[in-house]
Coordinates of all heavy atoms in Angstrom, one line a residue:
M18 N 85.3 -49.7 -24.7 CA 84.0 -49.4 -24.1 C 84.2 -48.9 -22.7 O 83.6 -48.0 -22.3 CB 83.1 -50.7 -24.1 CG 82.7 -51.1 -25.5 SD 81.7 -52.6 -25.4 CE 80.1 -51.8 -25.5
A19 N 85.1 -49.6 -21.9 CA 85.3 -49.1 -20.6 C 86.0 -47.7 -20.6 O 85.6 -46.9 -19.8 CB 86.2 -50.1 -19.8
G20 N 86.9 -47.5 -21.5 CA 87.5 -46.2 -21.6 C 86.5 -45.1 -21.9 O 86.6 -44.0 -21.3
K21 N 85.5 -45.4 -22.7 CA 84.5 -44.4 -23.0 C 83.7 -44.1 -21.8 O 83.3 -42.9 -21.5 CB 83.6 -44.9 -24.2 CG 82.6 -43.9 -24.7 CD 83.3 -42.7 -25.3 CE 82.3 -41.8 -26.0 NZ 82.9 -40.6 -26.4
R22 N 83.3 -45.1 -21.0 CA 82.6 -44.9 -19.8 C 83.4 -44.0 -18.8 O 82.8 -43.2 -18.1 CB 82.2 -46.2 -19.2 CG 81.1 -46.9 -19.9 CD 80.5 -48.0 -19.2 NE 79.6 -48.8 -20.0 CZ 78.9 -49.8 -19.6 NH1 79.1 -50.3 -18.3 NH2 78.1 -50.5 -20.4
I23 N 84.7 -44.3 -18.7 CA 85.5 -43.5 -17.8 C 85.5 -42.1 -18.3 O 85.3 -41.1 -17.5 CB 86.9 -44.1 -17.7 CG1 86.9 -45.4 -17.0 CG2 87.9 -43.1 -17.0 CD1 88.2 -46.2 -17.1
Q24 N 85.7 -41.9 -19.6 CA 85.7 -40.5 -20.1 C 84.4 -39.8 -19.8 O 84.4 -38.6 -19.5 CB 85.9 -40.6 -21.6 CG 85.9 -39.2 -22.3 CD 87.2 -38.4 -22.0 OE1 88.3 -39.0 -22.1 NE2 87.1 -37.2 -21.7
N25 N 83.3 -40.5 -19.9 CA 82.0 -39.8 -19.6 C 81.8 -39.6 -18.1 O 80.9 -38.8 -17.7 CB 80.9 -40.7 -20.1 CG 80.8 -40.7 -21.7 OD1 81.3 -39.7 -22.3 ND2 80.3 -41.7 -22.2
S26 N 82.6 -40.3 -17.2 CA 82.4 -40.2 -15.8 C 83.2 -39.0 -15.2 O 83.0 -38.7 -14.0 CB 82.8 -41.5 -15.1 OG 82.1 -42.5 -15.6
I27 N 84.2 -38.5 -15.9 CA 85.1 -37.5 -15.3 C 84.8 -36.1 -15.8 O 83.9 -35.9 -16.7 CB 86.6 -37.9 -15.6 CG1 86.8 -37.9 -17.1 CG2 86.9 -39.2 -14.9 CD1 88.3 -38.2 -17.5
R28 N 85.4 -35.1 -15.3 CA 85.2 -33.7 -15.6 C 86.1 -33.4 -16.9 O 87.0 -34.1 -17.2 CB 85.6 -32.8 -14.5 CG 84.9 -33.2 -13.2 CD 85.5 -32.5 -12.0 NE 86.9 -32.9 -11.9 CZ 87.8 -32.2 -11.2 NH1 87.4 -31.2 -10.4 NH2 89.0 -32.6 -11.2
S29 N 85.7 -32.3 -17.6 CA 86.4 -32.0 -18.8 C 87.9 -31.7 -18.6 O 88.7 -31.9 -19.4 CB 85.7 -30.8 -19.5 OG 85.7 -29.7 -18.6
Q30 N 88.3 -31.2 -17.4 CA 89.7 -30.9 -17.1 C 90.5 -32.1 -16.7 O 91.7 -32.0 -16.6 CB 89.8 -29.7 -16.1 CG 89.3 -30.1 -14.7 CD 87.9 -29.8 -14.4 OE1 87.0 -29.8 -15.3 NE2 87.6 -29.4 -13.2
D31 N 89.9 -33.2 -16.4 CA 90.6 -34.4 -16.0 C 91.2 -35.1 -17.2 O 90.7 -35.0 -18.3 CB 89.7 -35.4 -15.3 CG 89.1 -34.7 -14.0 OD1 89.8 -33.9 -13.4 OD2 88.0 -35.1 -13.6
K32 N 92.3 -35.8 -17.0 CA 93.1 -36.4 -18.1 C 93.1 -37.9 -17.9 O 93.8 -38.4 -17.1 CB 94.5 -35.9 -18.2 CG 94.6 -34.4 -18.3 CD 94.0 -33.9 -19.6 CE 94.1 -32.4 -19.8 NZ 93.2 -31.9 -20.7
P33 N 92.3 -38.7 -18.7 CA 92.4 -40.1 -18.6 C 93.5 -40.7 -19.5 O 93.9 -40.1 -20.5 CB 91.0 -40.5 -19.1 CG 90.7 -39.5 -20.2 CD 91.3 -38.2 -19.6
A34 N 93.9 -41.9 -19.1 CA 94.9 -42.6 -20.0 C 94.8 -44.1 -19.8 O 94.5 -44.6 -18.7 CB 96.3 -42.2 -19.6
R35 N 95.0 -44.9 -20.8 CA 95.0 -46.3 -20.7 C 96.5 -46.7 -20.4 O 97.4 -46.4 -21.2 CB 94.6 -47.0 -22.0 CG 94.6 -48.5 -21.9 CD 94.2 -49.1 -23.3 NE 92.8 -48.9 -23.5 CZ 91.8 -49.8 -23.4 NH1 92.1 -51.0 -23.0 NH2 90.5 -49.5 -23.6
I36 N 96.7 -47.4 -19.3 CA 98.1 -47.8 -18.9 C 98.4 -49.2 -19.5 O 99.5 -49.5 -19.9 CB 98.2 -47.8 -17.4 CG1 97.8 -46.4 -16.8 CG2 99.6 -48.3 -16.9 CD1 98.7 -45.3 -17.3
A37 N 97.4 -50.1 -19.4 CA 97.6 -51.5 -19.9 C 96.2 -51.9 -20.5 O 95.3 -51.1 -20.5 CB 98.1 -52.4 -18.8
N38 N 96.1 -53.2 -20.8 CA 94.9 -53.7 -21.4 C 93.6 -53.3 -20.6 O 92.7 -52.8 -21.2 CB 95.0 -55.2 -21.6 CG 93.8 -55.7 -22.4 OD1 93.3 -55.0 -23.3 ND2 93.4 -56.9 -22.1
A39 N 93.6 -53.6 -19.3 CA 92.5 -53.3 -18.5 C 92.8 -52.4 -17.3 O 92.2 -52.4 -16.3 CB 91.9 -54.6 -18.0
T40 N 93.8 -51.5 -17.5 CA 94.3 -50.6 -16.5 C 94.2 -49.2 -17.0 O 94.8 -48.9 -18.1 CB 95.7 -51.0 -16.0 OG1 95.7 -52.3 -15.6 CG2 96.1 -50.1 -14.9
F41 N 93.5 -48.4 -16.3 CA 93.4 -47.0 -16.7 C 93.9 -46.1 -15.5 O 93.9 -46.5 -14.4 CB 91.9 -46.6 -17.0 CG 91.4 -47.4 -18.1 CD1 90.8 -48.6 -18.0 CD2 91.4 -46.8 -19.4 CE1 90.3 -49.4 -19.0 CE2 90.8 -47.5 -20.5 CZ 90.3 -48.8 -20.3
A42 N 94.3 -44.9 -15.9 CA 94.6 -43.9 -14.9 C 93.9 -42.6 -15.3 O 93.7 -42.3 -16.4 CB 96.2 -43.6 -14.9
V43 N 93.5 -41.8 -14.3 CA 92.9 -40.5 -14.5 C 93.6 -39.5 -13.6 O 93.7 -39.6 -12.4 CB 91.4 -40.5 -14.2 CG1 90.8 -39.1 -14.4 CG2 90.7 -41.6 -15.0
A44 N 94.2 -38.4 -14.2 CA 94.8 -37.3 -13.5 C 93.7 -36.3 -13.2 O 93.1 -35.8 -14.1 CB 95.9 -36.7 -14.3
L45 N 93.4 -36.1 -11.9 CA 92.4 -35.1 -11.5 C 93.2 -33.8 -11.2 O 93.8 -33.7 -10.2 CB 91.6 -35.6 -10.3 CG 90.9 -37.0 -10.4 CD1 90.3 -37.3 -9.1 CD2 89.9 -36.9 -11.5
L46 N 93.2 -33.0 -12.2 CA 94.1 -31.8 -12.2 C 93.7 -30.7 -11.2 O 94.6 -30.0 -10.7 CB 94.3 -31.3 -13.6 CG 94.9 -32.3 -14.6 CD1 95.0 -31.7 -16.0 CD2 96.2 -32.8 -14.1
T47 N 92.5 -30.6 -10.9 CA 92.0 -29.6 -10.0 C 91.0 -30.2 -9.0 O 90.0 -30.8 -9.5 CB 91.4 -28.3 -10.7 OG1 90.3 -28.8 -11.5 CG2 92.4 -27.6 -11.6
L48 N 91.3 -30.1 -7.8 CA 90.3 -30.6 -6.7 C 90.2 -29.6 -5.6 O 91.1 -29.0 -5.2 CB 90.9 -31.9 -6.2 CG 90.9 -33.1 -7.1 CD1 91.7 -34.3 -6.4 CD2 89.5 -33.6 -7.4
K49 N 89.0 -29.6 -5.1 CA 88.7 -28.7 -3.9 C 89.2 -29.5 -2.7 O 89.7 -28.8 -1.8 CB 87.2 -28.4 -3.8 CG 86.7 -27.4 -4.8 CD 85.3 -27.0 -4.5 CE 84.4 -27.9 -5.3 NZ 83.0 -27.6 -5.1
D50 N 89.0 -30.8 -2.6 CA 89.3 -31.6 -1.5 C 89.3 -33.0 -1.9 O 89.0 -33.4 -3.0 CB 88.4 -31.3 -0.3 CG 86.9 -31.5 -0.7 OD1 86.6 -32.3 -1.6 OD2 86.1 -30.7 -0.2
R51 N 89.7 -33.9 -0.9 CA 89.8 -35.3 -1.2 C 88.4 -35.9 -1.4 O 88.3 -36.9 -2.2 CB 90.5 -36.0 0.0 CG 92.0 -35.7 0.1 CD 92.6 -36.3 1.3 NE 94.0 -35.9 1.4 CZ 95.0 -36.7 1.4 NH1 94.8 -38.0 1.4 NH2 96.2 -36.3 1.5
E52 N 87.4 -35.4 -0.8 CA 86.1 -35.9 -1.0 C 85.6 -35.8 -2.4 O 84.9 -36.6 -2.9 CB 85.1 -35.2 -0.1 CG 85.2 -35.6 1.4 CD 86.4 -35.0 2.1 OE1 87.0 -34.0 1.7 OE2 86.9 -35.7 3.0
Q53 N 86.1 -34.7 -3.1 CA 85.7 -34.6 -4.5 C 86.4 -35.7 -5.4 O 85.7 -36.3 -6.2 CB 86.2 -33.2 -5.1 CG 85.7 -32.9 -6.4 CD 86.1 -31.6 -6.9 OE1 87.1 -31.0 -6.5 NE2 85.3 -31.0 -7.8
A54 N 87.6 -36.1 -5.1 CA 88.3 -37.2 -5.7 C 87.5 -38.5 -5.5 O 87.3 -39.3 -6.4 CB 89.7 -37.3 -5.3
I55 N 87.1 -38.7 -4.2 CA 86.4 -39.9 -3.9 C 85.0 -40.0 -4.6 O 84.6 -41.0 -5.1 CB 86.2 -40.0 -2.4 CG1 87.6 -40.2 -1.7 CG2 85.2 -41.1 -2.0 CD1 87.6 -40.0 -0.2
A56 N 84.3 -38.8 -4.8 CA 83.1 -38.8 -5.5 C 83.3 -39.1 -6.9 O 82.5 -39.9 -7.5 CB 82.4 -37.4 -5.3
I57 N 84.3 -38.6 -7.6 CA 84.6 -39.0 -9.0 C 84.9 -40.4 -9.1 O 84.4 -41.1 -10.0 CB 85.8 -38.1 -9.5 CG1 85.3 -36.6 -9.6 CG2 86.2 -38.6 -10.9 CD1 86.5 -35.6 -9.8
A58 N 85.7 -41.0 -8.2 CA 86.0 -42.4 -8.2 C 84.8 -43.3 -8.1 O 84.6 -44.3 -8.8 CB 87.0 -42.8 -7.1
K59 N 83.9 -42.9 -7.2 CA 82.6 -43.6 -7.1 C 81.8 -43.5 -8.3 O 81.1 -44.5 -8.7 CB 81.9 -43.1 -5.8 CG 82.5 -43.6 -4.5 CD 81.6 -43.1 -3.3 CE 82.3 -43.6 -2.1 NZ 81.5 -43.1 -0.9
R60 N 81.8 -42.4 -9.0 CA 81.0 -42.2 -10.2 C 81.6 -43.1 -11.3 O 80.9 -43.8 -12.0 CB 81.0 -40.8 -10.7 CG 80.1 -40.5 -11.8 CD 79.9 -39.0 -12.1 NE 81.1 -38.3 -12.3 CZ 81.5 -37.2 -11.5 NH1 80.7 -36.8 -10.5 NH2 82.6 -36.6 -11.8
I61 N 82.9 -43.2 -11.4 CA 83.6 -44.1 -12.4 C 83.2 -45.5 -12.1 O 82.8 -46.3 -13.0 CB 85.1 -43.9 -12.4 CG1 85.5 -42.5 -12.9 CG2 85.8 -45.0 -13.1 CD1 87.0 -42.2 -12.7
Q62 N 83.3 -45.9 -10.8 CA 83.0 -47.3 -10.4 C 81.5 -47.6 -10.7 O 81.2 -48.7 -11.2 CB 83.3 -47.4 -8.9 CG 83.5 -48.8 -8.4 CD 84.0 -48.8 -7.0 OE1 83.8 -48.0 -6.2 NE2 84.8 -49.8 -6.8
K63 N 80.6 -46.7 -10.4 CA 79.2 -46.9 -10.7 C 78.9 -47.1 -12.2 O 78.2 -48.0 -12.6 CB 78.4 -45.8 -10.2 CG 76.9 -45.8 -10.5 CD 76.2 -44.6 -9.9 CE 74.9 -44.4 -10.6 NZ 74.9 -43.4 -11.7
D64 N 79.6 -46.3 -13.0 CA 79.4 -46.4 -14.5 C 80.0 -47.6 -15.0 O 79.4 -48.2 -16.0 CB 80.0 -45.1 -15.2 CG 79.2 -43.9 -14.9 OD1 78.0 -44.0 -14.3 OD2 79.7 -42.8 -15.2
L65 N 81.1 -48.1 -14.5 CA 81.7 -49.3 -15.0 C 81.0 -50.6 -14.5 O 81.1 -51.6 -15.1 CB 83.2 -49.4 -14.5 CG 84.2 -48.5 -15.2 CD1 85.5 -48.6 -14.6 CD2 84.2 -48.7 -16.7
A66 N 80.2 -50.4 -13.5 CA 79.4 -51.6 -13.0 C 78.2 -51.9 -13.8 O 77.6 -52.9 -13.7 CB 79.0 -51.3 -11.5
Q67 N 77.8 -50.9 -14.7 CA 76.7 -51.2 -15.6 C 77.0 -52.3 -16.6 O 78.1 -52.5 -17.0 CB 76.3 -49.9 -16.4 CG 75.9 -48.7 -15.5 CD 74.8 -49.0 -14.6 OE1 73.7 -49.5 -15.0 NE2 74.9 -48.7 -13.3
V68 N 76.0 -53.0 -17.0 CA 76.2 -54.2 -17.9 C 76.8 -53.7 -19.2 O 76.3 -52.7 -19.8 CB 74.8 -54.9 -18.1 CG1 74.9 -55.9 -19.2 CG2 74.3 -55.5 -16.8
F69 N 77.7 -54.5 -19.7 CA 78.3 -54.3 -21.0 C 77.6 -55.3 -21.9 O 77.5 -56.5 -21.6 CB 79.8 -54.6 -21.1 CG 80.6 -53.5 -20.4 CD1 80.9 -53.5 -19.1 CD2 81.2 -52.5 -21.2 CE1 81.7 -52.5 -18.5 CE2 82.0 -51.5 -20.7 CZ 82.2 -51.5 -19.3
N70 N 77.1 -54.9 -23.0 CA 76.4 -55.9 -24.0 C 77.4 -56.1 -25.2 O 77.5 -55.3 -26.1 CB 75.1 -55.3 -24.5 CG 74.0 -55.4 -23.4 OD1 73.8 -56.5 -22.8 ND2 73.4 -54.3 -23.1
I71 N 78.1 -57.2 -25.1 CA 79.0 -57.6 -26.2 C 78.7 -59.0 -26.6 O 79.3 -59.9 -26.1 CB 80.5 -57.5 -25.7 CG1 80.8 -56.2 -25.0 CG2 81.5 -57.8 -26.8 CD1 82.1 -56.1 -24.3
Q72 N 77.6 -59.1 -27.4 CA 77.0 -60.4 -27.8 C 76.4 -61.2 -26.6 O 75.8 -62.1 -26.8 CB 78.0 -61.3 -28.5 CG 78.5 -60.7 -29.8 CD 79.5 -61.6 -30.6 OE1 80.1 -62.4 -30.0 NE2 79.6 -61.4 -31.9
Q73 N 76.8 -60.8 -25.4 CA 76.2 -61.3 -24.2 C 76.4 -60.2 -23.1 O 77.2 -59.3 -23.2 CB 76.8 -62.6 -23.7 CG 78.3 -62.5 -23.4 CD 78.9 -63.9 -23.1 OE1 78.3 -64.9 -23.3 NE2 80.1 -63.9 -22.5
E74 N 75.7 -60.4 -22.0 CA 75.8 -59.4 -20.9 C 77.0 -59.7 -20.1 O 77.3 -60.9 -19.7 CB 74.6 -59.4 -20.0 CG 73.4 -58.8 -20.7 CD 72.2 -58.7 -19.7 OE1 72.3 -59.2 -18.6 OE2 71.2 -58.1 -20.1
I75 N 77.9 -58.7 -19.9 CA 79.1 -58.8 -19.1 C 79.1 -57.8 -18.0 O 78.8 -56.6 -18.3 CB 80.3 -58.7 -19.9 CG1 80.4 -59.7 -21.0 CG2 81.6 -58.7 -19.1 CD1 81.5 -59.6 -22.0
V76 N 79.3 -58.2 -16.8 CA 79.4 -57.2 -15.6 C 80.8 -57.3 -15.1 O 81.4 -58.4 -14.9 CB 78.4 -57.6 -14.5 CG1 78.5 -56.6 -13.4 CG2 77.0 -57.5 -15.1
I77 N 81.5 -56.2 -14.9 CA 82.8 -56.2 -14.3 C 82.9 -55.6 -12.9 O 82.0 -54.9 -12.6 CB 83.8 -55.4 -15.3 CG1 83.4 -54.0 -15.4 CG2 83.8 -56.1 -16.6 CD1 84.5 -53.1 -16.1
S78 N 83.9 -55.9 -12.2 CA 84.1 -55.2 -10.9 C 85.4 -54.4 -11.0 O 86.2 -54.6 -11.9 CB 84.3 -56.3 -9.8 OG 85.4 -57.1 -10.0
T79 N 85.5 -53.4 -10.2 CA 86.6 -52.5 -10.3 C 87.3 -52.3 -8.9 O 86.6 -52.4 -7.9 CB 86.2 -51.1 -10.8 OG1 85.2 -50.6 -9.9 CG2 85.7 -51.1 -12.2
N80 N 88.5 -52.1 -8.9 CA 89.3 -51.7 -7.7 C 90.0 -50.5 -8.1 O 90.8 -50.5 -9.1 CB 90.2 -52.8 -7.2 CG 89.5 -54.0 -6.7 OD1 88.7 -53.9 -5.8 ND2 89.7 -55.2 -7.3
L81 N 89.9 -49.4 -7.3 CA 90.5 -48.1 -7.7 C 91.5 -47.8 -6.6 O 91.3 -48.0 -5.4 CB 89.4 -47.0 -7.7 CG 88.2 -47.3 -8.6 CD1 87.2 -46.2 -8.5 CD2 88.7 -47.3 -10.1
G82 N 92.6 -47.2 -7.1 CA 93.6 -46.7 -6.2 C 93.8 -45.2 -6.4 O 93.8 -44.7 -7.5
I83 N 93.8 -44.4 -5.3 CA 93.9 -43.0 -5.4 C 95.1 -42.5 -4.7 O 95.4 -42.9 -3.5 CB 92.6 -42.3 -4.8 CG1 91.4 -42.7 -5.5 CG2 92.8 -40.7 -4.8 CD1 90.1 -42.2 -4.8
A84 N 95.9 -41.7 -5.4 CA 97.1 -41.1 -4.8 C 97.0 -39.6 -4.8 O 96.6 -39.1 -5.8 CB 98.4 -41.6 -5.5
F85 N 97.4 -38.9 -3.7 CA 97.3 -37.5 -3.6 C 98.6 -36.9 -3.5 O 99.6 -37.5 -3.0 CB 96.5 -37.1 -2.4 CG 95.0 -37.5 -2.4 CD1 94.6 -38.6 -1.8 CD2 94.1 -36.7 -3.1 CE1 93.3 -39.0 -1.8 CE2 92.8 -37.1 -3.1 CZ 92.3 -38.2 -2.5
H86 N 98.8 -35.6 -4.0 CA 99.9 -34.8 -3.6 C 99.5 -33.4 -3.7 O 98.5 -33.0 -4.3 CB 101.1 -35.1 -4.6 CG 101.0 -34.3 -5.9 ND1 101.6 -33.1 -6.1 CD2 100.3 -34.6 -7.1 CE1 101.3 -32.7 -7.4 NE2 100.5 -33.6 -7.9
H87 N 100.2 -32.5 -2.9 CA 99.9 -31.1 -2.8 C 100.4 -30.4 -4.1 O 101.5 -30.7 -4.6 CB 100.5 -30.5 -1.6 CG 100.0 -31.1 -0.3 ND1 98.7 -30.8 0.2 CD2 100.5 -32.0 0.5 CE1 98.5 -31.5 1.3 NE2 99.6 -32.2 1.5
S88 N 99.7 -29.4 -4.5 CA 100.0 -28.7 -5.8 C 101.4 -28.1 -5.7 O 102.1 -28.0 -6.8 CB 99.0 -27.6 -6.1 OG 98.9 -26.7 -5.1
G89 N 101.9 -27.6 -4.6 CA 103.2 -27.1 -4.5 C 104.4 -28.1 -4.4 O 105.5 -27.8 -4.5
E90 N 104.0 -29.3 -4.3 CA 105.0 -30.4 -4.0 C 105.4 -30.9 -5.4 O 104.7 -31.1 -6.3 CB 104.2 -31.5 -3.3 CG 104.9 -32.8 -3.0 CD 104.0 -33.7 -2.3 OE1 103.1 -33.3 -1.5 OE2 104.0 -34.9 -2.6
K91 N 106.8 -31.1 -5.5 CA 107.3 -31.7 -6.7 C 107.2 -33.2 -6.6 O 107.7 -33.8 -5.7 CB 108.8 -31.3 -6.9 CG 109.0 -29.9 -7.4 CD 110.4 -29.7 -7.8 CE 110.4 -28.5 -8.8 NZ 111.6 -28.5 -9.6
I92 N 106.6 -33.8 -7.7 CA 106.5 -35.3 -7.7 C 106.5 -35.7 -9.2 O 106.0 -35.0 -10.0 CB 105.2 -35.7 -7.0 CG1 105.1 -37.3 -6.9 CG2 104.0 -35.2 -7.7 CD1 104.0 -37.8 -6.0
Q93 N 107.2 -36.8 -9.4 CA 107.2 -37.4 -10.8 C 106.0 -38.2 -11.0 O 105.4 -38.8 -10.1 CB 108.4 -38.3 -10.9 CG 109.8 -37.5 -10.8 CD 110.0 -36.6 -11.9 OE1 109.7 -36.9 -13.1 NE2 110.5 -35.4 -11.6
A94 N 105.5 -38.2 -12.3 CA 104.3 -39.0 -12.7 C 104.5 -40.5 -12.3 O 103.5 -41.1 -11.8 CB 104.1 -38.8 -14.1
E95 N 105.7 -41.0 -12.5 CA 105.9 -42.4 -12.1 C 105.7 -42.7 -10.7 O 105.1 -43.7 -10.3 CB 107.4 -42.8 -12.5 CG 107.6 -42.8 -14.0 CD 108.0 -41.4 -14.5 OE1 108.2 -40.5 -13.7 OE2 108.1 -41.3 -15.8
E96 N 106.1 -41.8 -9.8 CA 105.9 -41.9 -8.4 C 104.4 -41.9 -8.0 O 103.9 -42.7 -7.2 CB 106.7 -40.9 -7.6 CG 106.6 -41.0 -6.1 CD 107.4 -40.0 -5.3 OE1 108.1 -39.1 -6.0 OE2 107.3 -40.0 -4.1
L97 N 103.7 -41.0 -8.6 CA 102.3 -40.9 -8.4 C 101.5 -42.1 -8.9 O 100.7 -42.6 -8.2 CB 101.7 -39.6 -9.1 CG 100.4 -39.1 -8.6 CD1 100.4 -38.8 -7.1 CD2 100.0 -37.8 -9.4
L98 N 101.9 -42.6 -10.0 CA 101.3 -43.9 -10.5 C 101.6 -45.1 -9.6 O 100.8 -45.9 -9.3 CB 101.7 -44.2 -11.9 CG 101.0 -43.4 -13.0 CD1 101.7 -43.6 -14.4 CD2 99.6 -43.7 -13.1
R99 N 102.9 -45.1 -9.1 CA 103.3 -46.2 -8.2 C 102.4 -46.1 -7.0 O 101.9 -47.1 -6.5 CB 104.8 -46.1 -7.9 CG 105.3 -47.3 -7.0 CD 106.6 -47.0 -6.4 NE 106.3 -46.1 -5.3 CZ 107.1 -45.1 -4.9 NH1 108.2 -44.8 -5.6 NH2 106.8 -44.3 -3.9
N100 N 102.2 -44.9 -6.4 CA 101.4 -44.8 -5.2 C 100.0 -45.2 -5.4 O 99.4 -45.8 -4.6 CB 101.5 -43.3 -4.7 CG 102.9 -43.0 -4.2 OD1 103.7 -43.8 -3.9 ND2 103.1 -41.7 -4.0
S101 N 99.4 -44.9 -6.6 CA 98.1 -45.3 -6.9 C 98.0 -46.8 -7.1 O 97.0 -47.4 -6.7 CB 97.5 -44.5 -8.1 OG 98.2 -44.8 -9.2
N102 N 99.0 -47.4 -7.6 CA 99.0 -48.8 -7.8 C 99.1 -49.5 -6.4 O 98.4 -50.6 -6.2 CB 100.2 -49.3 -8.6 CG 100.0 -49.1 -10.1 OD1 98.8 -49.1 -10.6 ND2 101.0 -48.9 -10.9
I103 N 99.8 -49.0 -5.5 CA 99.9 -49.5 -4.1 C 98.5 -49.4 -3.5 O 98.0 -50.4 -2.9 CB 100.9 -48.8 -3.3 CG1 102.3 -49.1 -3.8 CG2 100.8 -49.1 -1.8 CD1 103.4 -48.2 -3.2
A104 N 97.8 -48.3 -3.7 CA 96.5 -48.1 -3.1 C 95.5 -49.1 -3.8 O 94.6 -49.7 -3.1 CB 96.0 -46.7 -3.4
Q105 N 95.7 -49.4 -5.1 CA 94.8 -50.3 -5.8 C 95.1 -51.7 -5.3 O 94.1 -52.5 -5.1 CB 95.0 -50.2 -7.3 CG 94.1 -51.2 -8.1 CD 94.4 -51.2 -9.5 OE1 95.5 -50.8 -10.0 NE2 93.5 -51.8 -10.3
D106 N 96.3 -52.1 -5.1 CA 96.6 -53.4 -4.5 C 96.0 -53.6 -3.2 O 95.4 -54.7 -2.9 CB 98.1 -53.6 -4.4 CG 98.8 -53.7 -5.8 OD1 98.2 -53.9 -6.8 OD2 100.1 -53.5 -5.8
R107 N 96.0 -52.6 -2.4 CA 95.3 -52.7 -1.0 C 93.8 -52.9 -1.2 O 93.2 -53.6 -0.5 CB 95.6 -51.5 -0.2 CG 97.1 -51.4 0.3 CD 97.4 -50.2 1.1 NE 98.8 -50.2 1.4 CZ 99.4 -49.2 1.9 NH1 98.8 -48.0 2.1 NH2 100.7 -49.2 2.2
A108 N 93.2 -52.2 -2.2 CA 91.8 -52.3 -2.4 C 91.5 -53.8 -2.8 O 90.5 -54.3 -2.4 CB 91.3 -51.3 -3.5
Q109 N 92.3 -54.4 -3.7 CA 92.1 -55.7 -4.1 C 92.1 -56.7 -3.0 O 91.4 -57.7 -2.9 CB 93.1 -56.1 -5.2 CG 92.8 -55.5 -6.5 CD 93.8 -56.0 -7.6 OE1 95.0 -55.8 -7.4 NE2 93.3 -56.6 -8.7
I110 N 93.0 -56.5 -2.0 CA 93.1 -57.3 -0.9 C 91.9 -57.3 0.0 O 91.4 -58.3 0.4 CB 94.4 -56.9 0.0 CG1 95.7 -57.3 -0.8 CG2 94.3 -57.6 1.4 CD1 96.9 -56.7 -0.1
I111 N 91.3 -56.1 0.1 CA 90.0 -56.0 0.9 C 88.9 -56.7 0.2 O 88.1 -57.3 0.9 CB 89.7 -54.5 1.0 CG1 90.7 -53.8 1.9 CG2 88.3 -54.3 1.6 CD1 90.6 -52.3 1.9
G112 N 88.8 -56.7 -1.1 CA 87.7 -57.4 -1.8 C 87.3 -56.6 -3.1 O 87.9 -55.6 -3.4
K113 N 86.3 -57.1 -3.8 CA 85.9 -56.5 -5.0 C 85.2 -55.2 -4.8 O 84.6 -54.9 -3.8 CB 84.9 -57.5 -5.7 CG 85.5 -58.8 -6.2 CD 84.5 -59.6 -7.0 CE 85.1 -60.9 -7.5 NZ 84.2 -61.7 -8.2
N114 N 85.3 -54.4 -5.9 CA 84.7 -53.1 -5.9 C 85.1 -52.1 -4.8 O 84.2 -51.5 -4.1 CB 83.2 -53.2 -6.0 CG 82.7 -53.9 -7.3 OD1 83.2 -53.5 -8.4 ND2 81.9 -54.8 -7.2
Q115 N 86.3 -52.0 -4.5 CA 86.8 -51.1 -3.5 C 87.4 -49.9 -4.1 O 88.0 -49.9 -5.1 CB 87.9 -51.8 -2.6 CG 87.4 -53.0 -1.9 CD 86.3 -52.7 -0.9 OE1 86.5 -51.7 -0.1 NE2 85.3 -53.5 -0.8

């Protein structure tokens, strides 16, 4: 259910993936600027904050990590995921829904 909400929150050119049970990643393949990535992240967060009805109402909180790199820069997917995990860890330290 969360994966479907994420899919509906992103653009058609973006690539979502489930990394673990409750961990997802989204590759934003084309961006005009960092603000566009932040807007997409906020949309995902807003959509995931809606009540889930699974025999009872469930509300979840999210912490998102965003990692950037320049299109001409060589970077491995593992490094990009590691950087986004570090950003997510920092968001968790700050508090819920960061």
Side-chain angles (χ1 to χ4, degrees):
M18 296 179 94
K21 186 68 171 168
R22 287 193 187 180
I23 291 169
Q24 180 72 47
N25 291 336
S26 301
I27 60 176
R28 305 165 306 164
S29 61
Q30 68 266 35
D31 299 333
K32 303 296 182 202
R35 180 183 291 258
I36 303 299
N38 188 31
T40 304
F41 297 86
V43 179
L45 305 176
L46 301 178
T47 58
L48 291 172
K49 289 188 265 183
D50 52 34
R51 290 176 185 241
E52 287 73 27
Q53 189 177 27
I55 292 167
I57 293 167
K59 285 182 179 181
R60 189 168 54 238
I61 292 169
Q62 201 167 32
K63 178 181 156 261
D64 290 348
L65 288 175
Q67 299 301 311
V68 172
F69 286 85
N70 286 308
I71 309 170
Q72 296 180 338
Q73 63 183 14
E74 290 185 354
I75 298 172
V76 178
I77 63 171
S78 64
T79 57
N80 291 301
L81 304 174
I83 301 174
F85 294 97
H86 82 93
H87 298 285
S88 60
E90 175 183 325
K91 284 194 159 201
I92 188 167
Q93 297 292 317
E95 294 84 5
E96 184 179 356
L97 198 57
L98 282 172
R99 186 194 75 221
N100 292 346
S101 66
N102 281 333
I103 291 168
Q105 181 185 17
D106 290 344
R107 289 180 182 165
Q109 283 182 304
I110 290 169
I111 294 170
K113 291 183 179 179
N114 293 314
Q115 298 295 318

